[in-house]
Coordinates of all heavy atoms in Angstrom, one line a residue:
L1 N 0.8 -1.2 0.0 CA 0.0 0.0 0.0 C 0.9 1.3 0.0 O 0.6 2.2 -0.7 CB -0.9 0.0 1.2 CG -2.1 -1.0 1.2 CD1 -2.7 -1.1 2.6 CD2 -3.1 -0.7 0.1
N2 N 1.9 1.2 0.8 CA 2.8 2.4 0.8 C 3.5 2.6 -0.5 O 3.6 3.8 -0.9 CB 3.9 2.1 1.9 CG 4.6 3.3 2.4 OD1 4.1 4.4 2.3 ND2 5.8 3.2 2.9
A3 N 3.8 1.5 -1.2 CA 4.4 1.7 -2.6 C 3.5 2.3 -3.5 O 3.9 3.2 -4.3 CB 4.9 0.3 -3.1
I4 N 2.2 1.9 -3.5 CA 1.2 2.5 -4.4 C 1.0 3.9 -4.1 O 0.9 4.8 -5.0 CB -0.1 1.7 -4.3 CG1 0.2 0.3 -5.0 CG2 -1.2 2.4 -5.1 CD1 -0.9 -0.7 -4.7
S5 N 0.9 4.3 -2.8 CA 0.7 5.7 -2.4 C 1.8 6.6 -2.8 O 1.6 7.8 -3.1 CB 0.5 5.8 -0.9 OG 1.7 5.6 -0.2
K6 N 3.0 6.0 -2.9 CA 4.2 6.8 -3.4 C 4.4 6.8 -4.9 O 5.4 7.2 -5.4 CB 5.5 6.3 -2.7 CG 5.5 6.6 -1.2 CD 6.8 6.0 -0.6 CE 6.9 6.3 0.9 NZ 7.2 7.7 1.1
R7 N 3.5 6.1 -5.6 CA 3.6 6.0 -7.1 C 4.8 5.2 -7.5 O 5.4 5.5 -8.6 CB 3.6 7.4 -7.7 CG 2.5 8.3 -7.4 CD 2.7 9.7 -8.0 NE 3.9 10.4 -7.3 CZ 5.0 10.6 -7.9 NH1 5.2 10.1 -9.1 NH2 6.0 11.2 -7.3
A8 N 5.1 4.2 -6.7 CA 6.3 3.4 -7.1 C 5.9 2.4 -8.3 O 4.8 2.0 -8.4 CB 6.7 2.5 -5.9
S9 N 6.9 2.1 -9.1 CA 6.7 1.2 -10.2 C 7.2 -0.2 -9.8 O 6.7 -1.2 -10.4 CB 7.4 1.6 -11.5 OG 8.8 1.7 -11.2
D10 N 8.1 -0.3 -8.9 CA 8.7 -1.6 -8.4 C 8.9 -1.6 -6.9 O 9.3 -0.6 -6.4 CB 10.0 -1.9 -9.2 CG 9.8 -1.9 -10.7 OD1 9.9 -0.9 -11.3 OD2 9.6 -3.0 -11.2
I11 N 8.8 -2.8 -6.3 CA 9.2 -3.0 -4.9 C 10.3 -4.0 -4.9 O 10.2 -5.1 -5.5 CB 8.0 -3.5 -4.1 CG1 6.8 -2.6 -4.2 CG2 8.4 -3.7 -2.6 CD1 5.5 -3.2 -3.6
H12 N 11.4 -3.7 -4.3 CA 12.6 -4.6 -4.2 C 12.7 -5.0 -2.7 O 12.8 -4.2 -1.9 CB 13.9 -3.9 -4.6 CG 14.0 -3.6 -6.1 ND1 15.0 -4.2 -6.9 CD2 13.2 -2.9 -6.9 CE1 14.8 -3.7 -8.1 NE2 13.8 -3.0 -8.2
I13 N 12.6 -6.4 -2.5 CA 12.9 -6.9 -1.2 C 14.1 -7.7 -1.2 O 14.2 -8.8 -1.9 CB 11.6 -7.8 -0.7 CG1 10.4 -6.9 -0.7 CG2 11.9 -8.4 0.6 CD1 9.1 -7.6 -0.4
E14 N 15.2 -7.2 -0.6 CA 16.5 -7.8 -0.8 C 17.1 -8.3 0.5 O 17.4 -7.5 1.5 CB 17.4 -6.7 -1.3 CG 16.9 -6.1 -2.6 CD 17.6 -4.7 -3.0 OE1 17.8 -3.9 -2.1 OE2 17.9 -4.6 -4.2
P15 N 17.4 -9.6 0.6 CA 17.9 -10.2 1.9 C 19.5 -10.1 1.9 O 20.1 -10.3 0.9 CB 17.5 -11.7 1.8 CG 17.4 -11.9 0.3 CD 17.0 -10.7 -0.3
F16 N 20.0 -9.7 3.0 CA 21.4 -9.7 3.2 C 21.8 -10.5 4.5 O 20.9 -11.0 5.2 CB 22.0 -8.3 3.2 CG 21.9 -7.7 1.8 CD1 20.9 -6.9 1.4 CD2 23.0 -7.9 0.9 CE1 20.8 -6.4 0.2 CE2 22.9 -7.4 -0.3 CZ 21.9 -6.6 -0.7
E17 N 23.0 -10.4 4.9 CA 23.4 -11.3 6.0 C 22.7 -11.0 7.3 O 22.3 -11.9 8.0 CB 24.9 -11.1 6.3 CG 25.5 -12.1 7.2 CD 27.0 -12.1 7.3 OE1 27.6 -11.2 6.7 OE2 27.6 -13.0 7.9
D18 N 22.5 -9.7 7.7 CA 21.9 -9.5 9.0 C 20.6 -8.6 8.9 O 20.1 -8.1 9.9 CB 22.9 -8.8 9.9 CG 23.5 -7.5 9.2 OD1 23.1 -7.2 8.1 OD2 24.3 -6.9 9.8
S19 N 20.1 -8.4 7.7 CA 18.8 -7.6 7.5 C 18.2 -7.8 6.2 O 18.8 -8.5 5.3 CB 19.2 -6.1 7.7 OG 20.2 -5.7 6.8
V20 N 17.0 -7.3 6.0 CA 16.3 -7.3 4.7 C 16.0 -5.9 4.4 O 15.3 -5.2 5.2 CB 15.0 -8.2 4.8 CG1 14.3 -8.1 3.5 CG2 15.3 -9.6 5.3
Y21 N 16.4 -5.5 3.2 CA 16.1 -4.1 2.7 C 14.9 -4.0 1.8 O 14.8 -4.9 0.9 CB 17.3 -3.5 2.0 CG 18.6 -3.3 2.9 CD1 19.6 -4.2 2.9 CD2 18.6 -2.3 3.8 CE1 20.7 -4.1 3.7 CE2 19.7 -2.1 4.7 CZ 20.8 -3.0 4.6 OH 21.9 -2.9 5.4
V22 N 14.1 -3.0 2.0 CA 13.0 -2.8 1.1 C 13.2 -1.4 0.4 O 13.5 -0.4 1.0 CB 11.6 -2.7 1.9 CG1 10.5 -2.4 0.9 CG2 11.4 -4.0 2.6
R23 N 13.2 -1.5 -0.9 CA 13.4 -0.3 -1.7 C 12.3 -0.2 -2.7 O 11.7 -1.1 -3.2 CB 14.7 -0.4 -2.5 CG 16.0 -0.4 -1.6 CD 17.2 -0.1 -2.3 NE 17.6 -1.1 -3.2 CZ 18.6 -1.0 -4.1 NH1 19.3 0.1 -4.2 NH2 19.0 -2.1 -4.9
Y24 N 11.9 1.1 -3.0 CA 10.9 1.4 -4.1 C 11.6 2.1 -5.2 O 12.4 3.0 -5.0 CB 9.8 2.3 -3.5 CG 8.9 1.8 -2.4 CD1 8.2 2.7 -1.6 CD2 8.8 0.4 -2.2 CE1 7.4 2.2 -0.6 CE2 8.0 -0.1 -1.1 CZ 7.3 0.8 -0.3 OH 6.5 0.4 0.7
R25 N 11.2 1.8 -6.5 CA 11.6 2.5 -7.6 C 10.5 3.6 -7.9 O 9.4 3.2 -8.3 CB 11.8 1.6 -8.8 CG 12.5 2.4 -10.0 CD 12.8 1.5 -11.2 NE 13.8 0.6 -10.9 CZ 15.1 0.8 -10.9 NH1 15.6 2.0 -11.1 NH2 16.0 -0.1 -10.6
I26 N 10.8 4.8 -7.7 CA 9.8 5.9 -7.9 C 10.4 6.8 -9.0 O 11.5 7.3 -8.9 CB 9.6 6.7 -6.6 CG1 9.1 5.8 -5.5 CG2 8.6 7.9 -6.9 CD1 9.1 6.5 -4.2
D27 N 9.6 7.0 -10.1 CA 10.0 7.8 -11.2 C 11.4 7.4 -11.8 O 12.2 8.2 -12.1 CB 10.0 9.3 -10.9 CG 8.7 9.8 -10.6 OD1 7.7 9.3 -11.1 OD2 8.6 10.8 -9.8
G28 N 11.6 6.0 -11.8 CA 12.8 5.5 -12.4 C 14.0 5.4 -11.5 O 15.0 4.8 -11.9
V29 N 13.9 5.9 -10.2 CA 15.0 5.9 -9.3 C 14.7 5.1 -8.1 O 13.6 5.3 -7.5 CB 15.4 7.3 -8.9 CG1 16.6 7.3 -8.0 CG2 15.8 8.1 -10.2
L30 N 15.7 4.2 -7.6 CA 15.4 3.4 -6.4 C 15.7 4.3 -5.1 O 16.6 5.1 -5.1 CB 16.4 2.2 -6.4 CG 15.9 1.0 -7.2 CD1 17.0 0.0 -7.3 CD2 14.6 0.4 -6.6
H31 N 14.8 4.1 -4.1 CA 14.9 4.8 -2.8 C 14.8 3.8 -1.7 O 14.0 2.9 -1.7 CB 13.7 5.8 -2.7 CG 13.7 6.9 -3.7 ND1 14.3 8.1 -3.5 CD2 13.1 6.9 -4.9 CE1 14.1 8.8 -4.6 NE2 13.4 8.1 -5.5
D32 N 15.7 3.9 -0.7 CA 15.6 3.1 0.5 C 14.4 3.4 1.3 O 14.2 4.6 1.5 CB 16.9 3.3 1.4 CG 18.1 2.6 0.8 OD1 18.0 1.6 0.1 OD2 19.2 3.1 1.0
I33 N 13.6 2.5 1.7 CA 12.4 2.7 2.4 C 12.4 2.1 3.8 O 12.0 2.8 4.8 CB 11.2 2.2 1.6 CG1 11.1 2.8 0.2 CG2 9.9 2.3 2.4 CD1 10.8 4.3 0.3
L34 N 12.9 0.9 3.9 CA 12.7 0.2 5.2 C 13.8 -0.9 5.4 O 14.2 -1.5 4.4 CB 11.3 -0.5 5.2 CG 10.7 -1.1 6.4 CD1 10.4 0.0 7.5 CD2 9.4 -1.8 6.1
T35 N 14.2 -1.1 6.6 CA 15.1 -2.2 6.9 C 14.4 -3.1 7.9 O 14.0 -2.7 9.0 CB 16.4 -1.6 7.5 OG1 17.0 -0.7 6.6 CG2 17.4 -2.8 7.8
L36 N 14.3 -4.4 7.5 CA 13.7 -5.4 8.4 C 14.7 -6.3 9.0 O 15.8 -6.5 8.4 CB 12.7 -6.2 7.5 CG 11.6 -5.4 6.8 CD1 10.8 -6.3 5.9 CD2 10.7 -4.7 7.7
P37 N 14.4 -6.9 10.2 CA 15.3 -7.8 10.8 C 15.5 -9.1 10.0 O 14.5 -9.5 9.3 CB 14.7 -8.1 12.1 CG 13.3 -7.5 12.1 CD 13.2 -6.6 11.0
E38 N 16.7 -9.7 10.0 CA 17.0 -10.8 9.2 C 16.0 -12.0 9.5 O 15.7 -12.8 8.6 CB 18.4 -11.2 9.5 CG 19.0 -12.4 8.6 CD 18.7 -13.8 9.2 OE1 18.4 -13.8 10.4 OE2 18.6 -14.7 8.5
K39 N 15.6 -12.1 10.7 CA 14.7 -13.3 11.1 C 13.4 -13.3 10.4 O 12.7 -14.3 10.3 CB 14.5 -13.3 12.6 CG 13.7 -12.1 13.1 CD 13.5 -12.2 14.6 CE 12.5 -13.4 15.0 NZ 12.2 -13.4 16.4
L40 N 13.0 -12.2 9.7 CA 11.7 -12.1 9.0 C 11.8 -12.6 7.6 O 10.8 -12.9 7.0 CB 11.2 -10.7 9.0 CG 10.8 -10.0 10.3 CD1 10.1 -8.7 10.1 CD2 9.9 -10.9 11.1
K41 N 13.0 -12.8 7.1 CA 13.1 -13.0 5.6 C 12.4 -14.2 5.1 O 11.8 -14.2 4.0 CB 14.6 -12.9 5.1 CG 15.5 -14.0 5.6 CD 16.9 -13.6 5.1 CE 17.9 -14.7 5.5 NZ 19.3 -14.3 5.1
R42 N 12.5 -15.4 5.8 CA 11.9 -16.6 5.3 C 10.4 -16.5 5.3 O 9.8 -16.8 4.3 CB 12.3 -17.8 6.2 CG 13.7 -18.3 6.0 CD 13.9 -19.6 6.6 NE 15.3 -20.2 6.4 CZ 16.2 -20.1 7.3 NH1 16.0 -19.5 8.4 NH2 17.4 -20.6 7.0
N43 N 9.8 -16.0 6.4 CA 8.4 -15.9 6.4 C 7.8 -14.8 5.5 O 6.8 -14.9 4.9 CB 7.9 -15.6 7.8 CG 8.0 -16.9 8.7 OD1 8.1 -18.0 8.2 ND2 7.9 -16.7 10.0

């Protein structure tokens, strides 16, 4: 919902060693939005 309200065209959910990053592509450019704890990535 947050992505749609920001007019994003893509949502990137990217897992790394100790966290999960959420980025939105808005008007062709990626923006960092949220950092989630690593333990959430599987679920």
Side-chain angles (χ1 to χ4, degrees):
L1 290 171
N2 200 21
I4 290 170
S5 73
K6 288 178 178 291
R7 304 173 294 105
S9 60
D10 301 85
I11 304 170
H12 290 239
I13 298 173
E14 304 165 317
F16 289 95
E17 189 171 9
D18 54 1
S19 56
V20 179
Y21 294 103
V22 178
R23 297 195 289 172
Y24 296 161
R25 188 176 294 279
I26 302 170
D27 294 333
V29 178
L30 280 169
H31 298 269
D32 287 331
I33 299 296
L34 193 63
T35 303
L36 303 173
E38 185 274 339
K39 67 179 289 185
L40 294 187
K41 66 184 177 186
R42 285 198 179 96
N43 285 344

